[in-house]
Amino acid sequence: MAHRLQIRLLTWDVKDTLLRLRHPVGEEYAAKGRAHGLEVEPSVLEQGFKQAYKAHSRSFPNYGLSHGLTSRQWWLDVVLQTFHLAGVRNAQAVAPIAEQLYEDFSSPCAWQVLDGAEDTLRGCRTRGLRLAVISNFDRRLEGILAGLGLREYFDFVLTSEDAGWPKPDPRIFQKALRLAHMEPAVTAHVGDNYLCDYQGPRAVGLHSFLVVGPQALDPKVRDSVPKEHILPTLAHLLPALDRLGGSTPGL
């Protein structure tokens, strides 16, 4: 009889895989600005945020930990720069907005569980699979997952802030394997980012699945990811595991 691979551990990305923000960043920033007497268009703030986040991530990767920053200070600086790019030059006026936004995004109320996420996690647990999180998030993630009722599904939550390295760095996946006392061959990762959640884990020997949703796939991604590794929805995960020859009911 042919040997059947048994996946024993599933690691998960979180943002835009299991959770998403309830409202676009630009709308949240604009609402908080308005509450403090600043009128800025949400679309302008959205664009400013994308620029500020990208620049800050490049200059101070992984929340600036190696530069002596805390993740809180990193995010406060991103907010200040976002408003600056949107034309608000008064940093003193923006400082309380930044503090409020940091607290707001720490709350489970700012987030929503994606359709099918909890059912899929429950189905994985029913099969006897162990679950864990590997996320390029900061330490607020534990509280957010707990508040949304998802923390109980995971053996541990490993953020890039806690690990010291962000995905796709191999070391964050290797640390997760050590925490779980698992080998790469019996572990699969699930996420929505091609580089961080598909290529990254495969580079250290894990299996991986790419959650793509309804949007059209980039042709380069489509051509490089086997069809059986693509998940149009989270409901496709358990059948994909079956096709992989992995965990079967009752394991």
Side-chain angles (χ1 to χ4, degrees), residues 65-102:
L65 301 181
S66 64
H67 293 78
L69 294 177
T70 63
S71 57
R72 181 188 184 95
Q73 186 58 57
W74 192 92
W75 278 114
L76 296 180
D77 291 345
V78 167
V79 176
L80 290 171
Q81 184 63 15
T82 296
F83 276 88
H84 182 83
L85 290 169
V88 180
R89 304 289 191 252
N90 186 346
Q92 191 173 358
V94 177
I97 299 172
E99 293 282 354
Q100 186 61 60
L101 283 165
Y102 182 85

Side-chain angles (χ1 to χ4, degrees), residues 61-233:
N62 201 26
Y63 307 111
L65 301 181
S66 64
H67 293 78
L69 294 177
T70 63
S71 57
R72 181 188 184 95
Q73 186 58 57
W74 192 92
W75 278 114
L76 296 180
D77 291 345
V78 167
V79 176
L80 290 171
Q81 184 63 15
T82 296
F83 276 88
H84 182 83
L85 290 169
V88 180
R89 304 289 191 252
N90 186 346
Q92 191 173 358
V94 177
I97 299 172
E99 293 282 354
Q100 186 61 60
L101 283 165
Y102 182 85
E103 295 304 323
D104 286 353
F105 285 118
S106 304
S107 168
C109 297
W111 301 85
Q112 66 184 52
V113 180
L114 288 169
D115 289 345
E118 188 161 13
D119 287 345
T120 301
L121 294 174
R122 190 182 299 115
C124 290
R125 278 297 197 186
T126 298
R127 288 179 172 225
L129 287 161
R130 293 177 60 192
L131 308 178
V133 164
I134 304 177
S135 173
N136 287 355
F137 214 103
D138 57 62
R139 291 193 177 102
R140 295 176 292 176
L141 185 56
E142 286 263 8
I144 292 167
L145 289 170
L148 292 169
L150 298 186
R151 178 61 183 85
E152 65 191 68
Y153 292 103
F154 301 107
D155 289 11
F156 60 86
V157 172
L158 181 61
T159 65
S160 60
E161 181 177 10
D162 289 326
W165 314 284
K167 297 177 296 184
D169 192 302
R171 290 171 289 186
I172 192 169
F173 296 104
Q174 290 161 348
K175 180 163 185 174
L177 291 171
R178 289 195 300 272
L179 287 171
H181 304 289
M182 286 287 178
E183 294 297 323
V186 295
T187 304
H189 182 75
V190 183
D192 72 307
N193 184 281
Y194 174 66
L195 178 62
C196 293
D197 298 313
Y198 187 77
Q199 284 193 321
R202 296 186 85 77
V204 293
L206 279 70
H207 304 273
S208 57
F209 295 99
L210 187 65
V211 182
V212 298
Q215 71 272 21
L217 265 181
D218 180 286
K220 289 182 181 178
V221 173
R222 185 186 62 232
D223 294 342
S224 62
V225 179
K227 196 167 50 174
E228 58 269 24
H229 297 167
I230 291 176
L231 305 179
T233 70

Side-chain angles (χ1 to χ4, degrees), residues 3-10 122-131 182 185-187 238 241-251:
H3 174 70
R4 287 175 63 81
L5 175 70
Q6 292 186 352
I7 295 298
R8 298 173 59 197
L9 172 68
L10 276 178
R122 190 182 299 115
C124 290
R125 278 297 197 186
T126 298
R127 288 179 172 225
L129 287 161
R130 293 177 60 192
L131 308 178
M182 286 287 178
V186 295
T187 304
L238 294 179
L241 284 173
D242 289 339
R243 287 193 297 273
L244 187 64
S247 52
T248 53
L251 262 183

